[in-house]
Amino acid sequence: GAGVSQSPSNKVTEKGKDVELRCDPISGHTALYWYRQSLGQGLEFLIYFQGNSAPDKSGLPSDRFSAERTGGSVSTLTIQRTQQEDSAVYLCASSLSSGGYNEQFFGPGTRLTVL
Amino acid sequence: KQEVTQIPAALSVPEGENLVLNCSFTDSAIYNLQWFRQDPGKGLTSLLLIQSSQREQTSGRLNASLDKSSGRSTLYIAASQPGDSATYLCAVKPGNTGKLIFGQGTTLQVKP
């Protein structure tokens, strides 16, 4: 079956613009996660959803970052007024459920470059 | 605060060698530990997941062990091949909640 998909695969934007990144989880997976991977910081957790609720938003670096999930499926990560330090690869993952011993399966990522 | 460390950061071996990658974590109260592989410019591929109550998991040439009390996990790769060249990441799940906390990874190069 299809894995986790993300779009766009690459995004180049100018400082100060807003961007939206999309994630399509594996069908039937109720949990969805966003991570960020940058050279200096490694792979960092941002936020996760169980269904449409976000029990843990602790990794969002500032109030310029927000995410939503509707219909228990697709999620969108929005970054407002982008800064150069937002440049990174944004990875999405999904699992059957956020609880229990469920593996997380990752998408290919969106590479964001802020000029 | 849970921290995950992987040593070495990079490793180069000749084809056919057996090798061990190390992962350590500061808080032994983990729910599970997962090993991933990442190829350049790609996402993460899950290799093995070890539950907190387990000591090891095996898949083909890969064997992962877990010692919760000492805060360590190892990934053993037998008879390495050039196709094993990639970055290997370990991640712990600190509780019965969603997030994973990742190490910085070990970049492996297997030379033909």
Side-chain angles (χ1 to χ4, degrees):
Chain A
V4 178
S5 61
Q6 293 186 245
S7 61
S9 55
N10 279 285
K11 176 72 177 180
V12 180
T13 191
E14 293 179 349
K15 178 181 171 181
K17 301 279 191 185
D18 297 353
V19 295
E20 282 190 353
L21 312 180
R22 176 188 167 106
C23 173
D24 255 297
I26 293 171
S27 177
H29 281 194
T30 64
L32 185 149
Y33 315 81
W34 285 99
Y35 295 86
R36 177 169 75 171
Q37 187 172 32
S38 55
L39 279 176
Q41 300 298 323
L43 222 157
E44 306 171 284
F45 166 79
L46 297 177
I47 184 172
Y48 90 90
F49 292 89
Q50 177 59 51
N52 293 332
S53 301
D56 188 350
K57 309 178 184 180
S58 62
L60 294 178
S62 76
D63 59 8
R64 296 186 297 104
F65 287 72
S66 63
E68 65 175 15
R69 190 180 187 198
T70 55
S73 182
V74 171
S75 175
T76 303
L77 177 69
T78 302
I79 309 173
Q80 295 179 310
R81 304 180 303 281
T82 51
Q83 304 294 312
Q84 288 183 332
E85 62 262 27
D86 299 335
S87 296
V89 176
Y90 289 81
L91 292 164
C92 175
S94 70
S95 64
L96 278 172
S97 169
S98 60
Y101 302 115
N102 291 299
E103 284 182 84
Q104 294 188 20
F105 296 90
F106 281 74
T110 293
R111 181 175 297 276
L112 175 66
T113 303
V114 182
L115 301 177
Chain B
K1 178 187 172 185
Q2 177 74 270
E3 292 183 359
V4 181
T5 303
Q6 291 186 247
I7 294 174
L11 182 63
S12 180
V13 301
E15 181 177 5
E17 199 162 288
N18 302 326
L19 59 101
V20 173
L21 306 180
N22 297 294
C23 173
S24 61
F25 44 95
T26 54
D27 187 342
S28 62
I30 65 168
Y31 201 73
N32 63 35
L33 183 145
Q34 206 168 340
W35 281 94
F36 294 88
R37 167 188 173 133
Q38 186 173 32
D39 293 284
K42 307 285 186 183
L44 277 63
T45 300
S46 179
L47 298 173
L48 290 164
L49 182 147
I50 310 178
Q51 300 174 15
S52 59
S53 58
Q54 296 177 324
R55 298 284 293 184
E56 64 179 333
Q57 281 286 345
T58 298
S59 175
R61 294 183 294 107
L62 305 179
N63 175 277
S65 69
L66 175 64
D67 184 343
K68 264 186 55 174
S69 60
S70 67
R72 296 180 188 225
S73 175
T74 61
L75 180 67
Y76 175 83
I77 303 177
S80 58
Q81 303 170 358
D84 295 331
S85 298
T87 296
Y88 291 82
L89 294 151
C90 76
V92 300
K93 189 176 179 185
N96 189 14
T97 57
K99 70 181 177 186
L100 293 175
I101 299 174
F102 283 82
Q104 296 286 338
T106 294
T107 299
L108 172 66
Q109 182 184 33
V110 181
K111 297 180 178 178

